[in-house]
Amino acid sequence: MSRKMDRLPGKIISAVFFVIVFAFAALLIYTKLVPAKYLTIICGILVLMVLVVYLLVRKLRYIIPFIIGILLMLVTVAVMALGSLYIYRTVNTIDNITGVNTEVAQIGVYVLNEDAADSINAAVDYSFGILSDLDRESTDNTVNQLDSELGTTIRTVEYASLTDLADAIMRKKVEAIILNQAYLDVIDEMDGYSKFSSMLREITTKHVETVIERTEPQLVVNPDGNTNTDEMVLTLFISGIDTRGAMTAKSRSDVNIIATINTKTRQVLLVSTPRDYFVPLSISNGAPDKLTHAGIYGINVCMDTLGMLYEEDINYYFRLNFAGFINIIDALGGVTVNSDYDFTTGAYHFNQGENYMNGEQALAFARERYAFSEGDRQRGRNQMAVIEAVINKALSPELLKNYTSVLSGMEGSFETNVPYDLIASLVRKQLNEGGSWNIVSYSVNGTGDTQKPYSMSQNAYVMIPDYSTVDKAKDLMSKVRNGEEISLQ
């Protein structure tokens, strides 16, 4: 065998192996998820493997070393292939749930169930009831879409309130109504209108898209005056929904939590605001409404309203569907949640103290409010307890046992406008430093009352804020921002 032919297979094999290793290293760098020190170690090991394989396969006539080199290369390639699969799944999942910068208002056109119209074309000559003020921008956008689609100008009749609009179609003063789907649940909650939505049939739906605004987080300034892009204070609005439509659809927010996060001091403050809190919305010109109704007008209104209440700039939102949340908890293998009370809800009983829960149990725990004297306030605390339990489990090594299942469960359960690069920097920081975070939960308080909310046409139960608890929440937020250690003890 000539010297050239003796070394040619080894050169080809080594070159192919080098290209594969280079591509894998490039993939790791591209994800931005791996800290520099780990990248250095991984790349160093891979370069060493390339060198060892080259030394083993460089001469074909040494058949045993050659075979060992081939096997070593195949094992390394198999490990990199598996790693690439995990990386792809991770990056793809993060891409799917992050950077969601738009949401849609689902505006329905409704007729009575017994009406003959089965499409918008069949209703072209109808008169359409609309709201004169509430969510008017979405209504006008929908009317314009219908005019363009039908090639004519539809006849609209304006009504000042939800009950006036509902009465108009029930009494057949108009043949159809145009209404944001999120209002149907609001009308069903009003006295005398509990069956309203069941009387209607939707003949078409139009989507009105809105851009979700965001502000950049505040970088922590070190004593020397310098900043580190991995050290920041950011504020998230966590909105919990049980939406019937897409995650991006505007809907009432049943869970309203502000998370203030200091990545340098590794502190997270969760502040829960009851859904019935009676506060002015950012779009209501000072008129108070239930906080949950802010979601009808969009995530921007939710964040701006809470920003007004707590005098905070909220950087991003994080929306979770509690019905889909059970998939995450089951994929994690269950979570341990601390309960303030001993109580029973449905088929489940929870003890005061620590309770190990699967997804269904955690959902029941997070939804219950009637078992407590403080009702929705305690439900908010329980929801924060579940979120804290999930964070703690996700930061533990146990996550690796069910990693792919957790990734699958995340899609459809979460969405956020936090950019990918910020998520990546937080992952790098956690991998670099490891360890746990100090998570503190606080719930503002209030007094039950009966008032007329901005989005409703009659009196309803509301919660008048106890501003001493709001001030306490603001003080805790300020301490987290300033790097002070917080505790409720």
Side-chain angles (χ1 to χ4, degrees), residues 31-319:
T31 67
K32 303 178 183 179
L33 296 171
V34 184
K37 67 179 182 182
Y38 293 124
L39 272 175
T40 302
I41 293 171
I42 293 171
C43 290
I45 292 172
L46 291 176
V47 169
L48 180 61
M49 294 301 295
V50 171
L51 180 60
V52 170
V53 167
Y54 169 72
L55 292 174
L56 290 170
V57 303
R58 65 194 181 100
K59 293 184 179 180
L60 182 59
R61 67 176 180 271
Y62 299 137
I63 191 66
I64 294 178
F66 187 88
I67 293 174
I68 293 174
I70 294 293
L71 291 175
L72 183 60
M73 183 192 73
L74 292 176
V75 169
T76 306
V77 169
V79 171
M80 288 190 295
L82 182 61
S84 298
L85 177 61
Y86 274 81
I87 292 169
Y88 170 78
R89 290 288 306 278
T90 301
V91 172
N92 187 59
T93 299
I94 295 175
D95 270 340
N96 287 338
I97 67 174
T98 61
V100 182
N101 296 313
T102 60
E103 63 180 338
V104 295
Q106 295 179 324
I107 312 299
V109 180
Y110 302 94
V111 296
L112 293 174
N113 285 327
E114 63 269 21
D115 194 285
D118 59 357
S119 68
I120 188 61
N121 289 300
V124 65
D125 295 324
Y126 284 11
S127 56
F128 296 81
I130 62 173
L131 290 169
S132 57
D133 295 311
L134 292 177
D135 200 29
R136 187 56 190 262
E137 185 176 350
S138 296
T139 300
D140 288 344
N141 188 299
T142 301
V143 170
N144 290 335
Q145 289 186 52
L146 293 174
D147 287 347
S148 176
E149 180 180 332
L150 296 171
T152 186
T153 301
I154 63 173
R155 290 184 294 119
T156 59
V157 182
E158 297 185 7
Y159 294 94
S161 68
L162 289 173
T163 51
D164 288 344
L165 183 67
D167 289 339
I169 190 168
M170 288 192 296
R171 296 172 183 173
K172 300 185 178 180
K173 293 181 180 179
V174 293
E175 292 92 349
I177 60 172
I178 299 172
L179 186 67
N180 188 326
Q181 290 180 359
Y183 278 122
L184 291 179
D185 290 332
V186 177
I187 298 175
D188 284 346
E189 288 182 353
M190 290 194 250
D191 291 339
Y193 296 87
S194 61
K195 297 181 180 179
F196 177 70
S197 63
S198 65
M199 299 170 60
L200 303 179
R201 178 165 45 84
E202 187 177 86
I203 56 175
T204 190
T205 302
K206 300 300 177 185
H207 291 171
V208 179
E209 189 171 88
T210 305
V211 174
I212 301 172
E213 299 171 0
R214 72 186 192 195
T215 58
E216 295 305 312
Q218 165 194 330
L219 294 179
V220 174
V221 180
N222 296 316
D224 59 6
N226 295 320
T227 60
N228 183 333
T229 55
D230 283 346
E231 294 178 348
M232 66 191 76
V233 179
L234 63 151
T235 307
L236 289 175
F237 166 55
I238 301 175
S239 172
I241 59 172
D242 275 330
T243 180
R244 293 180 290 186
M247 283 283 288
T248 54
K250 293 180 180 180
S251 63
R252 295 185 303 174
S253 182
D254 292 326
V255 179
N256 301 278
I257 296 171
I258 293 180
T260 307
I261 304 166
N262 189 318
T263 64
K264 181 176 182 179
T265 61
R266 302 171 70 80
Q267 292 198 100
V268 178
L269 171 66
L270 301 176
V271 173
S272 174
T273 309
R275 67 190 298 276
D276 293 320
Y277 232 42
F278 199 50
V279 292
L281 305 186
S282 62
I283 47 87
S284 65
N285 295 318
D289 199 349
K290 292 188 179 192
L291 177 60
T292 185
H293 292 160
I296 296 173
Y297 310 101
I299 286 288
N300 285 330
V301 175
C302 291
M303 292 192 293
D304 290 343
T305 297
L306 287 168
M308 289 165 49
L309 179 64
Y310 294 107
E311 298 178 357
E312 282 284 315
D313 289 328
I314 299 177
N315 307 119
Y316 307 107
Y317 83 93
F318 190 93
R319 180 183 283 171

Side-chain angles (χ1 to χ4, degrees), residues 276 290 369 377 447-451 453 459-463:
D276 293 320
K290 292 188 179 192
R369 59 173 170 165
R377 285 164 285 183
T447 305
D449 197 5
T450 300
Q451 298 278 353
N459 288 347
Y461 172 82
V462 299
M463 183 180 291

Side-chain angles (χ1 to χ4, degrees), residues 343-484:
F343 70 96
T344 299
T345 175
Y348 304 114
H349 179 79
F350 302 101
N351 298 314
Q352 186 176 12
E354 291 187 346
N355 296 262
Y356 183 78
M357 303 179 192
N358 62 25
E360 289 287 352
Q361 291 168 325
L363 183 60
F365 179 85
R367 279 178 166 168
E368 180 57 42
R369 59 173 170 165
Y370 298 109
F372 314 111
S373 59
E374 291 188 289
D376 194 55
R377 285 164 285 183
Q378 185 58 44
R379 178 169 66 169
R381 298 185 191 107
N382 288 350
Q383 290 162 346
M384 289 190 293
V386 173
I387 291 172
E388 181 177 345
V390 170
I391 292 173
N392 287 331
K393 189 68 174 284
L395 291 176
S396 73
E398 292 183 62
L399 172 67
L400 298 176
K401 295 179 183 178
N402 304 292
Y403 187 68
T404 56
S405 298
V406 172
L407 291 179
S408 297
M410 288 177 68
E411 295 190 44
S413 300
F414 299 92
E415 68 172 28
T416 180
N417 66 341
V418 177
Y420 178 94
D421 285 353
L422 179 53
I423 296 286
S425 72
L426 294 174
V427 171
R428 287 196 308 270
K429 185 174 179 63
Q430 182 62 27
L431 289 174
N432 255 328
E433 301 175 1
S436 60
W437 290 58
N438 177 34
I439 304 174
V440 175
S441 298
Y442 182 74
S443 178
V444 296
N445 214 332
T447 305
D449 197 5
T450 300
Q451 298 278 353
K452 183 180 177 181
Y454 167 76
S455 297
M456 299 180 74
S457 309
Q458 57 183 228
N459 288 347
Y461 172 82
V462 299
M463 183 180 291
I464 305 300
D466 176 351
Y467 282 99
S468 67
T469 63
V470 173
D471 289 339
K472 173 70 172 177
K474 289 159 66 174
D475 180 60
L476 290 169
M477 291 174 183
S478 177
K479 286 182 177 178
V480 173
R481 285 192 168 279
N482 294 332
E484 300 176 45

